Amino acid sequence: MAAADGTSGELNTCRHPSAQWRSAGRDRRSGVVSVPATLLRLSRDSSIYVLIVVKGPMGPRKIVHVDMDAFYASVEQRDNPALRGQPVAVGHGAQRGVVAAASYEARAFGVRSAMPSTTAMRRCPALVFVPPRFEVYRAVSRQIHAILGDYTALIEPLSLDEAYLDVTQDLRGLQTASATAKEIRARIFQETGLTASAGVSYNKFVAKLASSQRKPNGQFVITPEMGPDFIASLPIDRFHGVGPVTAARMRRLGIQTGADLRAQSLAFLQRHFGRSADWYLGIANGDDDRPVVANRPRKSSGSETTFERDLTVAEDIEAGVAAMADEVWAWCETANAFGRTVTVKVKFADFRLVTRSRSFPAVIAQHELLRQASLDLVRLLLPTPKGVRLLGVAVSNFDQAPISSARELPLFSPGEAILPRTTRRAPQ
């Protein structure tokens, strides 16, 4: 198959994509580079994938990471002019409320998502709480996705307000990925009244780093020539995928920046970080061969957060779980994927990890049912004498179309049997 730029390509179909596309990229252990590849699912319901392997003279991929600016809060400020310029939190300001999103004005006071409302109000007494309108956020997200689809078929949504795009193929004749990102951002603003930031680079990891450089309402390009020096100078806690606990552990080992991480041997990193060592060393060198996968199949969807300070009060722990359930539900409705199993994850201050799960006879097709199931699960662990450093909620066992009985699922009492799992992990 001949391409317009003189390269040639091959199309292969497969049912298990993970092994095949990796064989077409860089083997980080050996350092051998073969050929770039892109994985495309034929349809949401299909189990068949097309592996597009491009051969011949080809430069680096052109990846754009589009990230809406304070999405939920910005929608509320757009729709209510009285909120513009005000510190706004999307959520509920009640005793057990939680912040789902915060405007940039609120973030200046240290207000963050998943923060208990009482804490947020202490940090910003003038904070204005607005109840979430997920149906509006989903509608706006669909508008944005339609715009992105005019520039590439390879769109990998990460959430309602964030996506990767592979624009290596220049569908609009804009010549550069930077020009493409600029036009996308302009159209998003023109059609929705909202601003987006963008990162443009040669792989997903670096593109996501770039998108945070000019927030809000900006974009940043990191070329292959710029990449090594940019990553080398970056503080380790700026690496996405390196959480606060892992970053603190790296600093204790003398790893402060990307350059420090790059200087470590694989054996050293394996001793301290196990199976993650290869990934950490790779990203320190700017290597990320993950393709942008359109219509990525999901076995589960979850959201979790590590808190700046350990939570000890039951109300705060419940508020954090409710916030995670809200994030998961927003994804479920956007993807039209509803699960039968709910899992709550709790990591305590001593790094002990506990999960509690519940499977239902039908999919959970109501927001309140997911929230209630998540709260009932975490309440099985309360009260706790230990602080909680991380909370997460996930759904699995998906069914694309909810059935009517799912809206009347009986929730269980604390005495019912569940599926527990408790593990102790080394600090990360």
Side-chain angles (χ1 to χ4, degrees):
M1 180 181 72
D5 60 359
T7 64
S8 62
E10 293 180 357
L11 294 180
N12 298 299
T13 59
C14 59
R15 290 184 181 273
H16 301 286
S18 58
Q20 294 202 29
W21 74 255
R22 289 184 185 279
S23 68
R26 178 189 301 272
D27 184 335
R28 202 176 292 125
R29 287 185 175 84
S30 66
V32 174
V33 180
S34 51
V35 293
T38 295
L39 185 68
L40 181 63
R41 195 180 189 191
L42 293 182
S43 71
R44 178 184 297 278
D45 299 323
S46 176
S47 61
I48 304 297
Y49 297 77
V50 176
L51 182 70
I52 306 172
V53 180
V54 182
K55 296 181 178 179
M58 180 179 178
R61 289 181 299 159
K62 298 176 182 179
I63 307 298
V64 178
H65 178 252
V66 176
D67 193 8
M68 300 301 294
D69 298 320
F71 182 52
Y72 295 175
S74 294
V75 170
E76 299 301 335
Q77 290 177 317
R78 178 198 69 176
D79 294 350
N80 184 353
L83 297 175
R84 296 172 190 171
Q86 301 297 315
V88 173
V90 176
H92 300 282
Q95 179 68 25
R96 296 194 178 190
V98 66
V99 175
S103 69
Y104 283 100
E105 295 87 353
R107 294 181 189 187
F109 291 88
V111 177
R112 296 289 184 269
S113 61
M115 178 179 287
S117 299
T118 51
T119 302
M121 288 187 287
R122 283 197 299 270
R123 294 191 178 187
C124 181
L127 190 63
V128 180
F129 275 90
V130 179
R133 299 182 297 156
F134 289 108
E135 70 286 353
V136 176
Y137 310 146
R138 288 191 297 273
V140 177
S141 181
R142 286 191 291 270
Q143 280 185 277
I144 295 165
H145 192 90
I147 294 170
L148 302 182
D150 287 341
Y151 297 85
T152 179
L154 295 175
I155 305 168
E156 184 178 328
L158 303 179
S159 61
L160 290 180
D161 61 341
E162 183 182 3
Y164 287 116
L165 289 72
D166 188 328
V167 297
T168 307
Q169 184 180 2
D170 185 10
L171 297 182
R172 307 276 289 197
L174 297 174
Q175 304 302 317
T176 67
S178 179
T180 300
K182 185 176 181 179
E183 183 170 301
I184 288 172
R185 292 175 47 245
R187 282 193 58 193
I188 288 173
F189 183 75
Q190 180 182 10
E191 297 181 29
T192 71
L194 302 170
T195 63
S197 296
V200 182
S201 198
Y202 53 95
N203 64 41
K204 291 164 73 172
F205 174 76
V206 184
K208 187 161 184 174
L209 289 177
S211 67
S212 63
Q213 290 297 111
R214 295 289 185 268
K215 269 190 164 290
N217 194 25
Q219 72 181 54
F220 190 69
V221 178
I222 301 177
T223 66
E225 293 75 23
M226 295 168 55
D229 288 342
F230 178 85
I231 295 170
S233 65
L234 207 64
I236 203 66
D237 53 9
R238 289 280 308 280
F239 280 47
H240 59 88
V242 176
V245 177
T246 300
R249 190 177 181 194
M250 286 186 175
R251 286 193 292 269
R252 289 195 296 271
L253 293 170
I255 302 172
Q256 304 288 338
T257 65
D260 297 331
L261 182 57
R262 185 185 303 167
Q264 308 306 315
S265 69
L266 180 59
F268 174 85
L269 294 175
Q270 285 174 333
R271 284 199 304 272
H272 294 280
F273 302 103
R275 290 180 297 177
S276 299
D278 188 56
W279 168 251
Y280 292 149
L281 190 58
I283 60 176
N285 285 284
D287 293 336
D288 179 5
D289 297 314
R290 295 173 300 161
V292 173
V293 183
N295 297 322
R296 177 187 293 275
R298 299 286 287 268
K299 294 182 179 180
S300 66
S301 179
S303 181
E304 64 182 45
T305 189
T306 301
F307 297 95
E308 294 178 6
R309 298 182 180 83
D310 295 344
L311 304 183
T312 56
V313 180
E315 287 80 1
D316 292 346
I317 295 170
E318 290 182 11
V321 166
M324 297 302 99
D326 291 345
E327 290 283 339
V328 173
W329 179 255
W331 179 88
C332 288
E333 285 214 315
T334 300
N336 192 33
F338 300 86
R340 293 191 302 106
T341 301
V342 183
T343 302
V344 168
K345 178 165 70 172
V346 179
K347 184 181 286 185
F348 294 99
D350 62 356
F351 296 97
R352 186 170 63 100
L353 180 66
V354 177
T355 63
R356 293 290 184 265
S357 298
R358 169 71 178 180
S359 291
F360 294 93
V363 295
I364 298 174
Q366 268 191 322
H367 182 191
E368 283 306 315
L369 289 179
L370 176 60
R371 180 186 271 236
Q372 188 60 52
S374 302
L375 289 172
D376 285 348
L377 285 168
V378 79
R379 284 169 183 160
L380 296 171
L381 303 173
L382 300 177
T384 172
K386 300 174 183 176
V388 170
R389 67 183 308 111
L390 177 147
L391 290 169
V393 172
V395 293
S396 55
N397 288 333
F398 285 134
D399 189 341
Q400 293 293 331
I403 58 178
S404 58
S405 61
R407 296 187 174 274
E408 299 177 356
L409 290 177
L411 293 175
F412 55 94
S413 66
E416 284 192 74
I418 57 172
L419 306 174
R421 180 168 65 88
T422 305
T423 58
R424 183 180 297 274
R425 293 183 179 177
Q428 297 181 357

